[in-house]
Amino acid sequence: MGLSVILPAVVMPLVGFLCGSLMFSFWLGLLRGKDIRKVGDGNPGAVNAFKAAGAFVGTLGLLFDFLKGALPVAFGYWYLHISGIALTALIVAPVFGHAFSPWLKFRGGKALAVTFGVWSGITLYQVPVLMGAILLFSRFVLRIRQDGVCVLLALLGMMVFVILRYHSPVLTLAAILTAMTVLFKHRVALGL
C-alpha cells in the first residue's frame, strides 16, 4: 500500500470527526441569543434549536447536522474509494464527533441527524428513507410517545437492513457502532 492509499484512510476519519464535532444547531441558537441547551432535554441539537430559536434556525441546524455527516463520508467513499476498516472509522467518526464534541466539553448531541447523513453518504437514500419511515411509523401509526423507543426501532431496522442488503462486515460494524453511539446518547430517553 502506498502513501496515496494510507493517507486518506487515516486523514478522512479525522476530518469526519472534526466535521461532526461542529455544533451548528448550538451555534446558530447562540446567534439568535438562545442557549438551546436550556430547553427540552438540554441537548445541543436540532430539535432543541427548533424549540428555542424557531423553525428557521432549527431547519438550518438540521440541514448542517445532516451535511456534516454526509459530505465527508461521501467524499471518502465515492471519490477517495476508502474501504475496509478505514471505511468503518470514516462512517462512525462524524457520529462520534457530534456525540462527544470537544467544542462542548465532550457533551455533544444525540447524533441522529448526523447518522442520517453518514448513511446517506454511503447508501444515498436507502438507509435514511428506511430509518425515517420507521420513525414515522413508530410515532404516528404505532403511537409510541417515547422518543428513545422510536429511535431504538429505527436503529434496529437500520442494522438489520445493512446486514441483509450489503453482506459487508465493514458496513455491519459501522451500523452497530453508530447505533450504539446514538443509543448511548438516548439512554435517558430509554430509561437506562
Side-chain angles (χ1 to χ4, degrees), residues 53-95:
F56 179 72
V57 169
T59 302
L60 274 181
L62 184 64
L63 176 64
F64 289 149
D65 284 352
F66 174 86
L67 289 174
K68 72 184 184 181
L71 294 177
V73 170
F75 182 76
Y77 180 68
W78 296 102
Y79 182 72
L80 297 176
H81 308 290
I82 292 173
S83 61
I85 197 69
L87 180 59
T88 299
L90 175 60
I91 295 168
V92 174
V95 176

Short mmCIF file of all heavy atoms in Angstrom, two decimals, residues 53-95:
data_model
loop_
_atom_site.label_atom_id
_atom_site.label_comp_id
_atom_site.label_asym_id
_atom_site.label_seq_id
_atom_site.Cartn_x
_atom_site.Cartn_y
_atom_site.Cartn_z
N ALA A 53 -35.12 28.46 19.27
CA ALA A 53 -34.79 29.56 18.35
C ALA A 53 -35.69 29.61 17.12
O ALA A 53 -35.49 30.46 16.26
CB ALA A 53 -33.33 29.47 17.94
N GLY A 54 -36.63 28.70 17.00
CA GLY A 54 -37.59 28.77 15.90
C GLY A 54 -37.28 27.86 14.73
O GLY A 54 -36.24 27.21 14.65
N ALA A 55 -38.22 27.83 13.78
CA ALA A 55 -38.17 26.91 12.65
C ALA A 55 -36.98 27.18 11.72
O ALA A 55 -36.36 26.24 11.23
CB ALA A 55 -39.47 26.99 11.86
N PHE A 56 -36.65 28.44 11.49
CA PHE A 56 -35.55 28.75 10.58
C PHE A 56 -34.23 28.22 11.13
O PHE A 56 -33.49 27.52 10.42
CB PHE A 56 -35.46 30.26 10.33
CG PHE A 56 -34.35 30.65 9.41
CD1 PHE A 56 -34.42 30.37 8.04
CD2 PHE A 56 -33.21 31.27 9.90
CE1 PHE A 56 -33.37 30.70 7.19
CE2 PHE A 56 -32.16 31.62 9.06
CZ PHE A 56 -32.25 31.33 7.70
N VAL A 57 -33.94 28.53 12.37
CA VAL A 57 -32.69 28.07 13.00
C VAL A 57 -32.70 26.55 13.13
O VAL A 57 -31.70 25.88 12.84
CB VAL A 57 -32.48 28.74 14.37
CG1 VAL A 57 -31.34 28.08 15.13
CG2 VAL A 57 -32.19 30.22 14.18
N GLY A 58 -33.83 25.98 13.51
CA GLY A 58 -33.93 24.53 13.63
C GLY A 58 -33.70 23.82 12.31
O GLY A 58 -33.00 22.81 12.25
N THR A 59 -34.29 24.36 11.24
CA THR A 59 -34.12 23.76 9.93
C THR A 59 -32.68 23.86 9.45
O THR A 59 -32.12 22.89 8.93
CB THR A 59 -35.06 24.42 8.90
OG1 THR A 59 -36.41 24.27 9.36
CG2 THR A 59 -34.92 23.81 7.53
N LEU A 60 -32.06 25.02 9.65
CA LEU A 60 -30.65 25.17 9.28
C LEU A 60 -29.77 24.21 10.09
O LEU A 60 -28.87 23.57 9.54
CB LEU A 60 -30.17 26.60 9.51
CG LEU A 60 -30.40 27.60 8.41
CD1 LEU A 60 -29.85 28.97 8.81
CD2 LEU A 60 -29.75 27.15 7.11
N GLY A 61 -30.04 24.13 11.37
CA GLY A 61 -29.27 23.22 12.23
C GLY A 61 -29.41 21.78 11.78
O GLY A 61 -28.41 21.04 11.69
N LEU A 62 -30.62 21.37 11.46
CA LEU A 62 -30.88 20.01 10.99
C LEU A 62 -30.14 19.74 9.67
O LEU A 62 -29.49 18.70 9.50
CB LEU A 62 -32.38 19.79 10.82
CG LEU A 62 -32.84 18.40 10.42
CD1 LEU A 62 -32.51 17.40 11.51
CD2 LEU A 62 -34.34 18.42 10.16
N LEU A 63 -30.22 20.68 8.76
CA LEU A 63 -29.53 20.54 7.47
C LEU A 63 -28.02 20.44 7.66
O LEU A 63 -27.37 19.55 7.09
CB LEU A 63 -29.87 21.72 6.56
CG LEU A 63 -29.14 21.76 5.22
CD1 LEU A 63 -29.53 20.56 4.36
CD2 LEU A 63 -29.42 23.07 4.49
N PHE A 64 -27.44 21.32 8.46
CA PHE A 64 -26.00 21.28 8.67
C PHE A 64 -25.56 20.01 9.41
O PHE A 64 -24.50 19.45 9.13
CB PHE A 64 -25.52 22.52 9.43
CG PHE A 64 -25.55 23.78 8.61
CD1 PHE A 64 -25.78 25.00 9.23
CD2 PHE A 64 -25.36 23.77 7.25
CE1 PHE A 64 -25.81 26.18 8.49
CE2 PHE A 64 -25.38 24.93 6.50
CZ PHE A 64 -25.61 26.14 7.12
N ASP A 65 -26.38 19.55 10.38
CA ASP A 65 -26.05 18.31 11.08
C ASP A 65 -26.05 17.13 10.11
O ASP A 65 -25.20 16.25 10.19
CB ASP A 65 -27.02 18.05 12.23
CG ASP A 65 -26.76 18.93 13.44
OD1 ASP A 65 -25.73 19.64 13.46
OD2 ASP A 65 -27.58 18.91 14.37
N PHE A 66 -27.01 17.11 9.20
CA PHE A 66 -27.07 16.07 8.18
C PHE A 66 -25.84 16.15 7.27
O PHE A 66 -25.17 15.14 7.03
CB PHE A 66 -28.36 16.23 7.37
CG PHE A 66 -28.47 15.29 6.21
CD1 PHE A 66 -28.97 14.02 6.38
CD2 PHE A 66 -28.07 15.69 4.94
CE1 PHE A 66 -29.07 13.15 5.30
CE2 PHE A 66 -28.17 14.83 3.86
CZ PHE A 66 -28.67 13.55 4.05
N LEU A 67 -25.54 17.33 6.77
CA LEU A 67 -24.45 17.50 5.82
C LEU A 67 -23.08 17.22 6.42
O LEU A 67 -22.19 16.71 5.73
CB LEU A 67 -24.48 18.91 5.22
CG LEU A 67 -25.63 19.20 4.26
CD1 LEU A 67 -25.64 20.67 3.86
CD2 LEU A 67 -25.57 18.29 3.04
N LYS A 68 -22.89 17.54 7.69
CA LYS A 68 -21.57 17.30 8.29
C LYS A 68 -21.29 15.81 8.44
O LYS A 68 -20.14 15.41 8.60
CB LYS A 68 -21.43 18.04 9.62
CG LYS A 68 -22.23 17.47 10.77
CD LYS A 68 -22.08 18.35 11.99
CE LYS A 68 -22.78 17.77 13.20
NZ LYS A 68 -22.64 18.64 14.37
N GLY A 69 -22.32 14.99 8.35
CA GLY A 69 -22.12 13.55 8.29
C GLY A 69 -22.00 13.06 6.86
O GLY A 69 -21.13 12.25 6.53
N ALA A 70 -22.87 13.57 5.98
CA ALA A 70 -22.93 13.07 4.61
C ALA A 70 -21.69 13.44 3.78
O ALA A 70 -21.16 12.59 3.05
CB ALA A 70 -24.19 13.60 3.92
N LEU A 71 -21.25 14.67 3.87
CA LEU A 71 -20.19 15.14 2.97
C LEU A 71 -18.85 14.43 3.16
O LEU A 71 -18.27 13.95 2.18
CB LEU A 71 -20.05 16.65 3.06
CG LEU A 71 -21.26 17.44 2.54
CD1 LEU A 71 -21.05 18.94 2.74
CD2 LEU A 71 -21.57 17.11 1.09
N PRO A 72 -18.31 14.34 4.38
CA PRO A 72 -17.01 13.67 4.49
C PRO A 72 -17.08 12.18 4.15
O PRO A 72 -16.16 11.63 3.54
CB PRO A 72 -16.59 13.89 5.95
CG PRO A 72 -17.80 14.32 6.67
CD PRO A 72 -18.74 14.91 5.67
N VAL A 73 -18.20 11.54 4.50
CA VAL A 73 -18.34 10.12 4.20
C VAL A 73 -18.47 9.90 2.70
O VAL A 73 -17.80 9.02 2.12
CB VAL A 73 -19.53 9.51 4.97
CG1 VAL A 73 -19.84 8.10 4.49
CG2 VAL A 73 -19.25 9.50 6.47
N ALA A 74 -19.31 10.67 2.05
CA ALA A 74 -19.48 10.54 0.60
C ALA A 74 -18.17 10.82 -0.13
O ALA A 74 -17.79 10.08 -1.06
CB ALA A 74 -20.58 11.48 0.10
N PHE A 75 -17.46 11.86 0.27
CA PHE A 75 -16.19 12.19 -0.38
C PHE A 75 -15.19 11.05 -0.20
O PHE A 75 -14.54 10.62 -1.16
CB PHE A 75 -15.63 13.50 0.20
CG PHE A 75 -14.35 13.94 -0.45
CD1 PHE A 75 -14.35 14.51 -1.70
CD2 PHE A 75 -13.14 13.76 0.21
CE1 PHE A 75 -13.16 14.92 -2.31
CE2 PHE A 75 -11.95 14.16 -0.38
CZ PHE A 75 -11.95 14.74 -1.65
N GLY A 76 -15.06 10.57 1.02
CA GLY A 76 -14.11 9.49 1.28
C GLY A 76 -14.46 8.20 0.57
O GLY A 76 -13.58 7.49 0.06
N TYR A 77 -15.75 7.86 0.51
CA TYR A 77 -16.16 6.60 -0.08
C TYR A 77 -16.21 6.64 -1.60
O TYR A 77 -15.64 5.79 -2.28
CB TYR A 77 -17.54 6.20 0.48
CG TYR A 77 -18.08 4.90 -0.06
CD1 TYR A 77 -17.47 3.69 0.27
CD2 TYR A 77 -19.19 4.88 -0.88
CE1 TYR A 77 -17.96 2.50 -0.21
CE2 TYR A 77 -19.69 3.68 -1.37
CZ TYR A 77 -19.07 2.50 -1.03
OH TYR A 77 -19.56 1.31 -1.51
N TRP A 78 -16.89 7.65 -2.15
CA TRP A 78 -17.12 7.69 -3.59
C TRP A 78 -15.95 8.28 -4.38
O TRP A 78 -15.70 7.87 -5.50
CB TRP A 78 -18.40 8.48 -3.90
CG TRP A 78 -19.62 7.83 -3.35
CD1 TRP A 78 -20.30 8.19 -2.22
CD2 TRP A 78 -20.31 6.68 -3.86
NE1 TRP A 78 -21.36 7.35 -2.00
CE2 TRP A 78 -21.39 6.41 -3.00
CE3 TRP A 78 -20.12 5.86 -4.96
CZ2 TRP A 78 -22.28 5.37 -3.22
CZ3 TRP A 78 -21.00 4.82 -5.18
CH2 TRP A 78 -22.06 4.58 -4.31
N TYR A 79 -15.23 9.23 -3.79
CA TYR A 79 -14.14 9.89 -4.52
C TYR A 79 -12.78 9.29 -4.19
O TYR A 79 -11.98 9.01 -5.07
CB TYR A 79 -14.16 11.39 -4.24
CG TYR A 79 -13.10 12.15 -4.98
CD1 TYR A 79 -13.18 12.36 -6.35
CD2 TYR A 79 -11.98 12.65 -4.31
CE1 TYR A 79 -12.19 13.04 -7.04
CE2 TYR A 79 -10.99 13.33 -4.98
CZ TYR A 79 -11.09 13.53 -6.34
OH TYR A 79 -10.11 14.20 -7.03
N LEU A 80 -12.51 9.09 -2.89
CA LEU A 80 -11.21 8.56 -2.49
C LEU A 80 -11.20 7.03 -2.42
O LEU A 80 -10.15 6.43 -2.23
CB LEU A 80 -10.80 9.13 -1.13
CG LEU A 80 -10.60 10.65 -1.08
CD1 LEU A 80 -10.28 11.10 0.34
CD2 LEU A 80 -9.50 11.08 -2.05
N HIS A 81 -12.37 6.41 -2.51
CA HIS A 81 -12.51 4.94 -2.53
C HIS A 81 -11.95 4.29 -1.27
O HIS A 81 -11.32 3.23 -1.34
CB HIS A 81 -11.87 4.35 -3.79
CG HIS A 81 -12.36 4.98 -5.04
ND1 HIS A 81 -13.65 4.82 -5.51
CD2 HIS A 81 -11.75 5.83 -5.91
CE1 HIS A 81 -13.81 5.51 -6.62
NE2 HIS A 81 -12.67 6.15 -6.88
N ILE A 82 -12.21 4.92 -0.13
CA ILE A 82 -11.79 4.34 1.14
C ILE A 82 -12.62 3.08 1.39
O ILE A 82 -13.83 3.06 1.16
CB ILE A 82 -11.95 5.37 2.28
CG1 ILE A 82 -10.92 6.49 2.09
CG2 ILE A 82 -11.80 4.72 3.65
CD1 ILE A 82 -11.07 7.64 3.04
N SER A 83 -11.96 2.04 1.88
CA SER A 83 -12.65 0.77 2.12
C SER A 83 -12.09 0.13 3.38
O SER A 83 -11.22 0.69 4.04
CB SER A 83 -12.46 -0.15 0.91
OG SER A 83 -11.09 -0.42 0.71
N GLY A 84 -12.59 -1.04 3.69
CA GLY A 84 -12.10 -1.80 4.85
C GLY A 84 -12.41 -1.10 6.16
O GLY A 84 -13.37 -0.34 6.27
N ILE A 85 -11.57 -1.38 7.14
CA ILE A 85 -11.80 -0.83 8.48
C ILE A 85 -11.71 0.70 8.47
O ILE A 85 -12.34 1.37 9.30
CB ILE A 85 -10.83 -1.46 9.51
CG1 ILE A 85 -11.32 -1.22 10.94
CG2 ILE A 85 -9.41 -0.96 9.32
CD1 ILE A 85 -12.58 -1.96 11.29
N ALA A 86 -10.97 1.26 7.53
CA ALA A 86 -10.91 2.73 7.41
C ALA A 86 -12.28 3.29 7.04
O ALA A 86 -12.64 4.38 7.48
CB ALA A 86 -9.86 3.14 6.38
N LEU A 87 -13.07 2.54 6.26
CA LEU A 87 -14.42 2.98 5.92
C LEU A 87 -15.32 2.93 7.16
O LEU A 87 -16.11 3.85 7.38
CB LEU A 87 -15.01 2.12 4.80
CG LEU A 87 -16.42 2.48 4.36
CD1 LEU A 87 -16.50 3.94 3.88
CD2 LEU A 87 -16.90 1.53 3.28
N THR A 88 -15.18 1.89 7.95
CA THR A 88 -15.93 1.83 9.22
C THR A 88 -15.60 3.06 10.06
O THR A 88 -16.51 3.72 10.59
CB THR A 88 -15.58 0.55 10.00
OG1 THR A 88 -15.94 -0.58 9.22
CG2 THR A 88 -16.31 0.50 11.33
N ALA A 89 -14.32 3.37 10.22
CA ALA A 89 -13.91 4.53 11.01
C ALA A 89 -14.47 5.82 10.41
O ALA A 89 -14.91 6.71 11.15
CB ALA A 89 -12.38 4.59 11.09
N LEU A 90 -14.46 5.93 9.09
CA LEU A 90 -14.98 7.13 8.43
C LEU A 90 -16.47 7.30 8.68
O LEU A 90 -16.94 8.42 8.91
CB LEU A 90 -14.70 7.06 6.93
CG LEU A 90 -15.26 8.18 6.07
CD1 LEU A 90 -14.72 9.54 6.50
CD2 LEU A 90 -14.96 7.93 4.60
N ILE A 91 -17.24 6.23 8.65
CA ILE A 91 -18.68 6.31 8.88
C ILE A 91 -18.97 6.70 10.33
O ILE A 91 -19.85 7.52 10.60
CB ILE A 91 -19.36 4.97 8.52
CG1 ILE A 91 -19.24 4.70 7.02
CG2 ILE A 91 -20.82 4.96 8.96
CD1 ILE A 91 -19.62 3.29 6.61
N VAL A 92 -18.26 6.11 11.25
CA VAL A 92 -18.53 6.33 12.68
C VAL A 92 -17.99 7.69 13.16
O VAL A 92 -18.58 8.30 14.06
CB VAL A 92 -17.92 5.17 13.51
CG1 VAL A 92 -18.04 5.43 15.00
CG2 VAL A 92 -18.59 3.86 13.14
N ALA A 93 -16.95 8.20 12.56
CA ALA A 93 -16.26 9.40 13.04
C ALA A 93 -17.17 10.63 13.17
O ALA A 93 -17.15 11.29 14.22
CB ALA A 93 -15.05 9.71 12.17
N PRO A 94 -17.99 11.00 12.18
CA PRO A 94 -18.84 12.18 12.36
C PRO A 94 -19.88 11.99 13.47
O PRO A 94 -20.23 12.94 14.18
CB PRO A 94 -19.53 12.34 10.99
CG PRO A 94 -18.63 11.66 10.03
CD PRO A 94 -18.05 10.51 10.78
N VAL A 95 -20.36 10.76 13.62
CA VAL A 95 -21.34 10.47 14.69
C VAL A 95 -20.68 10.67 16.05
O VAL A 95 -21.24 11.31 16.94
CB VAL A 95 -21.91 9.04 14.52
CG1 VAL A 95 -22.86 8.69 15.66
CG2 VAL A 95 -22.62 8.90 13.17
#
